[in-house]
Amino acid sequence: MHITVWNEYRHEKKNPIVNEIYPEGIHGAIANALKDDGYDVDTATLDEELHGLSDEVLNKTDVLVWWGHIAHEEVSDEIVDKVVERVWAGMGLIVLHSGHFSKVFKKLMGTSCDLKWREAGEKERLWVVDPSHPITNGIGEYIELPQEEMYGEHFDIPAPDELVFMSWFEGGEVFRSGCTYRRGNGKIFYFRPGHETYPTYHNKEIQKVISNAVNWTAPLDRERPVYGNAQPLESIKEK
Amino acid sequence: MHITVWNEYRHEKKNPIVNEIYPEGIHGAIANALKDDGYDVDTATLDEELHGLSDEVLNKTDVLVWWGHIAHEEVSDEIVDKVVERVWAGMGLIVLHSGHFSKVFKKLMGTSCDLKWREAGEKERLWVVDPSHPITNGIGEYIELPQEEMYGEHFDIPAPDELVFMSWFEGGEVFRSGCTYRRGNGKIFYFRPGHETYPTYHNKEIQKVISNAVNWTAPLDRERPVYGNAQPLESIKEK
Amino acid sequence: MHITVWNEYRHEKKNPIVNEIYPEGIHGAIANALKDDGYDVDTATLDEELHGLSDEVLNKTDVLVWWGHIAHEEVSDEIVDKVVERVWAGMGLIVLHSGHFSKVFKKLMGTSCDLKWREAGEKERLWVVDPSHPITNGIGEYIELPQEEMYGEHFDIPAPDELVFMSWFEGGEVFRSGCTYRRGNGKIFYFRPGHETYPTYHNKEIQKVISNAVNWTAPLDRERPVYGNAQPLESIKEK
Amino acid sequence: MHITVWNEYRHEKKNPIVNEIYPEGIHGAIANALKDDGYDVDTATLDEELHGLSDEVLNKTDVLVWWGHIAHEEVSDEIVDKVVERVWAGMGLIVLHSGHFSKVFKKLMGTSCDLKWREAGEKERLWVVDPSHPITNGIGEYIELPQEEMYGEHFDIPAPDELVFMSWFEGGEVFRSGCTYRRGNGKIFYFRPGHETYPTYHNKEIQKVISNAVNWTAPLDRERPVYGNAQPLESIKEK
């Protein structure tokens, strides 16, 4: 199984606070944690040619992890379409935090994906609401993050196929923080935490959830179904 | 409550068989049945200015019924975006038959919306799988259509929020024929039957389902939620 | 449409605080609010003969509202079975607050229905997570209750068919507070708030939600489906 | 991982046709196929002491496969309660065919689990409706069974968490044939085929689905959540 961690990689270059937390970039931190779990992982970033997502890269990617924020509009529509089609063909997709507003996620959801937000360094507590779900394997009843950006309801997404985590925020809001979706042959996991100015992706429990999600979104050994004109499988009576 | 029935209205003009079945167009047949149920109904068609869907028309429409087939690509992206945004704002949407491949439906689903199909004049039987659902009000255990186009699985849609009807086809296929979705403040119902060369929209049970669906997809008395930067509702501790 | 509001009616008789808040009983407060909305409403309580739920009463009840807490075990299994069967036959059921542990609700869910709880007079904020849902009609972005008992996740229920409200609690927990389920021909709404020592059912927004839910859970004009041995609808080939 | 295949084991002893198809019992055929896939498998049957499901057996079982038909009522309520509680604690459960009417399944569903049926040796075709689901791994677009008992809608179950297979029957019916549910920490898969007078469990594709389902329903490495009275995680203001 081959993982590609994609990152916009802009905050790290501009903001010394972010650079200090993620000297190898957010993608680097996530990739390192996945490598520690034994996965085969590469990274790709916005400013590479084709955003690092050539056909060759996409075709060998089993699960794509996506982090973006301030440069969603710079991602080319052609690459977005290719990513979406790879998901339909079975590639797993993990969308992190501000990736809720990426072209890829919005296109796959069919909604505005809007939400409430606030940068106040407040406490977040992510509660497990589906203890049968493999994405929660090895996680306790909740994950506590001492400081995070707030995302609040209403989160304008389709009702998730499975709701795995719900967040409590110190400032009074709640949020559907771990959501699964299926699109074609592909599985998608949206996971809320990960504002760039906090060391969220160094948190062992957050890393564990992402690692579990890589496993859960992994493609099957299946072709896309056959679509289009179809011969009858049974005889049809003359009328 | 104001209903707009939108039709591509091309088959009726080109194909005498279709014209004989639907002399007032598919939109006319559907609109007449809804008027008989006491609804306030207008129609709109592709070749009208702005496809008959000006801002004024869209803004006063509570539920939009959509039939299209051979001219999906002729619907302007600008109108598609406006329809999608009206759905997000609460307008009900009923997508009929070959409307599965309309730009509007595909954009709201986030999938290819592809399927198997066959024109063989075969029998279809739509089974009620959710007898608690208001869209099935007054309908028996199944609706039988002596001749219809076949649509077969895999139907490449997100898992419906509610699965209301499942079809059996003479030639050996099944299909998720009545599916509900929620997008933002809006409710959507996809209903499979209605190939242009059969008198499906003159069938009283089919009319009853569409009438029920108009009622079910009707907007609430609610604003869109507030999105964007939000002040805390509770005090946040200094850290 | 005929509504029956059922209440255990014990706290009100024993605890002067509860009696002061609900001099006509919790059932009386809920019934009065529904009457003000124009519904035809009766009440029934545990200590009446057959708990006030004779066959005659159940058969004429379109929607049953249920509040219980300390005497779940005193509800006879025979009456429980009759209520469950009426739900399957189409009767709407609204289960309030501590009714999560009622025999009726547990039997319809197939889970333990257990949860975390705390009586600390803390603030609860119920956020609307599905603004398309009729149960939220006329409700703003959230309902705030200055003092309530806390119910916290994990709430051991099946994933709701529709998740309508999510609660934030001052003490750090979240909860799936408004959940719909379908069982047979019947629709169920579980609604969290309503601890007996707070005037929750006098709150106009809470009353509005219950009134909306009565409307949403109302039965259709349908028979139960036909079950059992079935003759073929199509000819079956000899093999 | 340890699997227990439970079978009523009555038809095989009474009916020579069944005995010829399943000389080692239905449980034997299923267990042998799972052993071939490398699983650690035992069997248990109704007429053993405690139906072969002692506490020791249940506690070491990770996934329980269940086949029953004519003797559901002979399964003791005590054992049923223990199986249900083991599911809530995380044990996977695969319910096959006529197990839809078992006490265990009905108790976990909260519905009547009734359906239409017919023994006419007709053709069944199970269509994959969720090609992203691991239970369909390695399966083509459909599985065709030349002769099976018919089960038809309405199937009186809660809407499945995931609908994986839908059946077409020669006699004109459809059926939700592969359904997943989550109850507490446990995952459940209902799989329709397997009438005792046909060699369904010798079919390689049917065996593959059951093997996939064993993997999918396998328990996580998690405790049950903590329920009951809970101390606040945040300070609560005096009011």
Side-chain angles (χ1 to χ4, degrees):
Chain A
M1 185 148 70
H2 185 73
I3 320 298
T4 301
V5 179
W6 191 90
N7 182 15
E8 182 182 281
Y9 199 27
R10 290 280 174 84
H11 289 292
E12 296 91 329
K13 294 176 188 164
K14 287 197 233 177
N15 184 336
I17 295 168
V18 181
N19 186 53
E20 195 179 352
I21 299 171
Y22 296 115
E24 298 179 61
I26 284 173
H27 54 295
I30 294 169
N32 288 339
L34 289 171
K35 283 174 193 163
D36 289 348
D37 283 356
Y39 289 108
D40 171 34
V41 190
D42 277 329
T43 63
T45 56
L46 178 64
D47 293 327
E48 294 173 47
E49 196 181 352
L50 299 170
H51 315 319
L53 298 173
S54 64
D55 288 357
E56 196 194 357
V57 167
L58 280 176
N59 287 336
K60 76 174 180 193
T61 299
D62 292 302
V63 179
L64 180 66
V65 181
W66 193 278
W67 198 102
H69 183 209
I70 45 172
H72 293 315
E73 287 311 307
E74 294 180 45
V75 179
S76 87
D77 289 338
E78 196 190 340
I79 297 294
V80 168
D81 287 349
K82 285 184 176 187
V83 170
V84 165
E85 270 165 43
R86 273 289 295 152
V87 171
W88 294 351
M91 183 181 73
L93 178 69
I94 299 173
V95 176
L96 295 172
H97 189 62
S98 41
H100 75 91
F101 250 6
S102 62
K103 288 179 178 179
V104 164
F105 191 62
K106 288 199 288 187
K107 197 155 186 176
L108 286 162
M109 294 296 105
T111 56
S112 76
C113 299
D114 215 340
L115 46 72
K116 289 187 175 65
W117 60 272
R118 175 174 61 238
E119 293 185 39
E122 70 203 90
K123 191 188 287 185
E124 175 179 14
R125 190 176 288 112
L126 296 106
W127 288 92
V128 170
V129 293
D130 184 353
S132 75
H133 204 289
I135 287 179
T136 72
N137 217 6
I139 301 295
E141 292 210 281
Y142 57 82
I143 299 171
E144 198 170 299
L145 298 171
Q147 288 198 289
E148 254 293 349
E149 183 181 4
M150 184 282 294
Y151 278 8
E153 296 284 342
H154 176 249
F155 185 17
D156 190 25
I157 46 172
D161 291 346
E162 299 160 315
L163 180 60
V164 184
F165 292 101
M166 268 166 52
S167 283
W168 176 98
F169 285 97
E170 195 178 349
E173 288 86 359
V174 294
F175 197 74
R176 287 169 289 173
S177 279
C179 300
T180 76
Y181 294 96
R182 292 152 185 274
R183 293 291 182 267
N185 282 27
K187 292 187 281 293
I188 301 167
F189 181 59
Y190 174 78
F191 191 42
R192 198 214 76 83
H195 189 61
E196 64 273 7
T197 61
Y198 307 112
T200 299
Y201 297 120
H202 295 305
N203 178 301
K204 293 295 171 199
E205 289 171 299
I206 298 297
Q207 290 174 357
K208 175 70 172 158
V209 170
I210 295 171
S211 181
N212 288 342
V214 161
N215 207 38
W216 186 83
T217 58
L220 307 187
D221 177 23
R222 290 186 66 84
E223 298 295 307
R224 277 282 267 169
V226 177
Y227 298 113
N229 191 239
Q231 292 303 306
L233 300 162
E234 305 291 329
S235 61
I236 293 169
K237 287 186 201 114
E238 288 289 320
K239 268 145 203 138
Chain B
M1 186 148 68
H2 184 73
I3 320 299
T4 301
V5 179
W6 190 90
N7 182 16
E8 182 181 282
Y9 199 27
R10 291 280 174 84
H11 289 292
E12 296 92 330
K13 295 175 188 165
K14 287 196 233 175
N15 184 337
I17 295 168
V18 181
N19 186 52
E20 196 179 351
I21 300 171
Y22 296 114
E24 299 178 61
I26 284 173
H27 52 296
I30 294 170
N32 288 339
L34 289 171
K35 282 174 194 164
D36 289 348
D37 283 355
Y39 289 107
D40 170 34
V41 190
D42 277 328
T43 63
T45 56
L46 179 63
D47 293 327
E48 294 173 47
E49 197 183 352
L50 299 170
H51 314 320
L53 298 174
S54 65
D55 288 356
E56 195 193 359
V57 168
L58 279 176
N59 287 336
K60 77 174 179 192
T61 299
D62 292 300
V63 179
L64 179 66
V65 180
W66 192 278
W67 198 101
H69 183 210
I70 45 170
H72 293 314
E73 286 312 307
E74 294 180 45
V75 179
S76 87
D77 289 338
E78 196 190 338
I79 297 294
V80 168
D81 287 348
K82 285 185 176 187
V83 170
V84 165
E85 269 163 45
R86 273 289 295 153
V87 171
W88 294 350
M91 182 181 73
L93 177 69
I94 299 172
V95 176
L96 295 173
H97 189 63
S98 41
H100 76 91
F101 250 4
S102 63
K103 288 179 179 178
V104 164
F105 190 62
K106 289 199 286 188
K107 196 155 187 176
L108 287 162
M109 294 296 105
T111 56
S112 77
C113 299
D114 215 339
L115 45 75
K116 289 188 175 62
W117 61 271
R118 175 174 61 237
E119 293 185 38
E122 69 203 89
K123 191 189 287 185
E124 175 178 14
R125 189 177 288 113
L126 296 105
W127 288 91
V128 171
V129 293
D130 185 352
S132 75
H133 204 290
I135 287 179
T136 72
N137 218 6
I139 301 294
E141 293 211 281
Y142 56 81
I143 299 171
E144 198 170 298
L145 299 171
Q147 288 198 290
E148 253 294 347
E149 183 182 4
M150 184 284 293
Y151 278 6
E153 295 283 342
H154 177 247
F155 184 16
D156 190 23
I157 47 171
D161 291 344
E162 299 160 314
L163 180 60
V164 184
F165 291 101
M166 268 166 52
S167 282
W168 176 98
F169 285 97
E170 196 178 349
E173 289 86 359
V174 294
F175 198 72
R176 288 169 288 174
S177 279
C179 300
T180 76
Y181 294 96
R182 291 152 186 274
R183 293 289 183 269
N185 281 28
K187 292 187 282 295
I188 301 167
F189 181 58
Y190 174 78
F191 192 43
R192 198 213 76 83
H195 189 61
E196 64 273 7
T197 61
Y198 307 112
T200 299
Y201 298 118
H202 295 305
N203 179 301
K204 293 294 172 198
E205 289 170 300
I206 297 298
Q207 291 174 357
K208 174 71 172 157
V209 170
I210 295 172
S211 181
N212 288 342
V214 162
N215 207 38
W216 185 83
T217 58
L220 308 187
D221 176 24
R222 289 185 66 83
E223 298 295 307
R224 276 283 267 169
V226 176
Y227 298 112
N229 192 238
Q231 292 303 307
L233 300 162
E234 306 290 330
S235 61
I236 293 169
K237 286 184 203 117
E238 288 290 321
K239 269 150 201 129
Chain C
M1 187 148 69
H2 185 74
I3 320 298
T4 302
V5 180
W6 190 90
N7 182 15
E8 182 181 281
Y9 200 27
R10 291 280 174 85
H11 289 293
E12 296 92 329
K13 294 178 191 165
K14 287 196 235 177
N15 184 337
I17 296 168
V18 181
N19 186 52
E20 195 178 353
I21 300 171
Y22 296 115
E24 298 179 61
I26 285 174
H27 53 294
I30 294 170
N32 288 339
L34 289 172
K35 282 175 193 163
D36 289 348
D37 283 356
Y39 289 107
D40 171 34
V41 190
D42 276 328
T43 63
T45 56
L46 179 63
D47 293 327
E48 295 173 47
E49 196 183 353
L50 299 170
H51 314 319
L53 298 173
S54 65
D55 288 356
E56 195 195 358
V57 167
L58 280 176
N59 287 337
K60 77 174 180 192
T61 298
D62 292 301
V63 180
L64 178 67
V65 181
W66 192 279
W67 198 101
H69 184 209
I70 44 169
H72 293 316
E73 287 311 307
E74 294 181 45
V75 180
S76 86
D77 289 339
E78 195 191 339
I79 297 294
V80 168
D81 287 350
K82 286 185 176 187
V83 169
V84 164
E85 268 164 45
R86 273 291 294 153
V87 170
W88 294 350
M91 182 181 73
L93 177 70
I94 299 172
V95 175
L96 296 172
H97 189 62
S98 41
H100 75 91
F101 250 4
S102 62
K103 288 179 179 178
V104 164
F105 190 61
K106 290 199 287 187
K107 196 154 186 176
L108 286 162
M109 294 296 106
T111 56
S112 77
C113 299
D114 214 339
L115 45 74
K116 289 187 175 63
W117 61 271
R118 177 175 58 238
E119 293 186 39
E122 71 201 270
K123 192 189 285 184
E124 175 179 14
R125 190 176 288 113
L126 295 107
W127 288 91
V128 170
V129 293
D130 184 352
S132 75
H133 204 289
I135 287 179
T136 72
N137 218 5
I139 301 295
E141 293 211 281
Y142 56 83
I143 299 170
E144 199 170 297
L145 299 171
Q147 288 197 290
E148 254 292 349
E149 183 182 5
M150 185 282 295
Y151 278 8
E153 296 282 343
H154 178 248
F155 185 17
D156 190 23
I157 46 172
D161 291 345
E162 299 159 315
L163 179 60
V164 184
F165 292 101
M166 266 166 52
S167 283
W168 177 97
F169 285 97
E170 196 179 349
E173 288 86 359
V174 294
F175 197 74
R176 288 170 288 173
S177 279
C179 300
T180 75
Y181 293 95
R182 290 151 186 275
R183 294 290 183 267
N185 281 27
K187 292 188 281 295
I188 302 166
F189 182 58
Y190 174 79
F191 192 42
R192 198 215 77 84
H195 189 62
E196 66 273 8
T197 61
Y198 306 112
T200 299
Y201 297 119
H202 295 304
N203 179 300
K204 293 294 172 197
E205 290 171 299
I206 297 298
Q207 290 174 357
K208 175 71 171 157
V209 170
I210 295 171
S211 181
N212 288 341
V214 161
N215 207 37
W216 184 83
T217 56
L220 308 186
D221 177 23
R222 289 186 66 82
E223 298 294 308
R224 278 282 268 169
V226 176
Y227 298 113
N229 192 239
Q231 291 303 305
L233 301 162
E234 305 290 330
S235 62
I236 293 169
K237 286 184 202 118
E238 288 290 320
K239 270 145 202 136
Chain D
M1 187 148 69
H2 185 74
I3 320 299
T4 301
V5 179
W6 190 91
N7 182 16
E8 180 181 284
Y9 200 27
R10 291 281 175 84
H11 289 293
E12 296 92 329
K13 294 176 189 166
K14 287 197 232 174
N15 184 338
I17 295 168
V18 181
N19 186 53
E20 196 179 352
I21 300 171
Y22 296 115
E24 299 178 61
I26 285 174
H27 53 295
I30 294 169
N32 287 338
L34 289 171
K35 282 174 193 164
D36 289 348
D37 283 356
Y39 289 107
D40 171 36
V41 190
D42 276 329
T43 62
T45 55
L46 178 63
D47 293 326
E48 294 173 47
E49 196 184 353
L50 300 169
H51 314 320
L53 297 173
S54 65
D55 289 356
E56 195 193 359
V57 167
L58 280 175
N59 287 336
K60 76 175 180 190
T61 298
D62 292 300
V63 179
L64 179 67
V65 180
W66 192 279
W67 198 101
H69 184 209
I70 44 170
H72 293 314
E73 287 312 307
E74 294 181 45
V75 180
S76 87
D77 290 338
E78 196 190 339
I79 297 293
V80 168
D81 286 349
K82 286 185 175 188
V83 170
V84 165
E85 269 164 44
R86 273 290 294 154
V87 171
W88 293 351
M91 182 181 73
L93 178 69
I94 299 173
V95 176
L96 296 172
H97 190 62
S98 41
H100 75 91
F101 250 4
S102 63
K103 288 179 179 179
V104 164
F105 190 62
K106 289 199 286 189
K107 196 154 186 176
L108 286 162
M109 293 297 105
T111 56
S112 77
C113 300
D114 215 339
L115 45 74
K116 289 187 175 64
W117 61 271
R118 175 174 62 237
E119 293 184 39
E122 69 201 89
K123 192 189 287 185
E124 174 179 15
R125 189 177 288 112
L126 295 106
W127 288 91
V128 171
V129 294
D130 184 352
S132 76
H133 204 289
I135 287 178
T136 72
N137 219 6
I139 301 295
E141 293 211 281
Y142 56 81
I143 299 170
E144 199 170 297
L145 299 171
Q147 288 197 292
E148 254 293 350
E149 183 182 5
M150 184 282 294
Y151 279 6
E153 296 282 345
H154 179 248
F155 184 16
D156 190 24
I157 47 171
D161 291 344
E162 298 159 315
L163 180 60
V164 184
F165 291 101
M166 266 166 52
S167 283
W168 176 98
F169 285 97
E170 196 177 349
E173 289 87 358
V174 294
F175 196 74
R176 288 169 290 174
S177 279
C179 300
T180 76
Y181 294 94
R182 292 152 186 273
R183 293 290 182 268
N185 281 27
K187 293 188 279 297
I188 301 167
F189 182 59
Y190 174 78
F191 192 44
R192 197 213 76 83
H195 189 62
E196 66 273 7
T197 61
Y198 307 112
T200 299
Y201 297 119
H202 295 305
N203 179 300
K204 292 294 172 198
E205 290 172 299
I206 297 298
Q207 290 174 358
K208 175 71 172 156
V209 170
I210 295 171
S211 182
N212 288 341
V214 162
N215 207 38
W216 185 83
T217 57
L220 307 186
D221 177 23
R222 290 186 65 84
E223 299 294 309
R224 277 282 268 169
V226 176
Y227 298 114
N229 192 239
Q231 291 303 307
L233 300 162
E234 306 290 330
S235 62
I236 293 169
K237 286 186 202 115
E238 287 290 320
K239 269 145 203 139

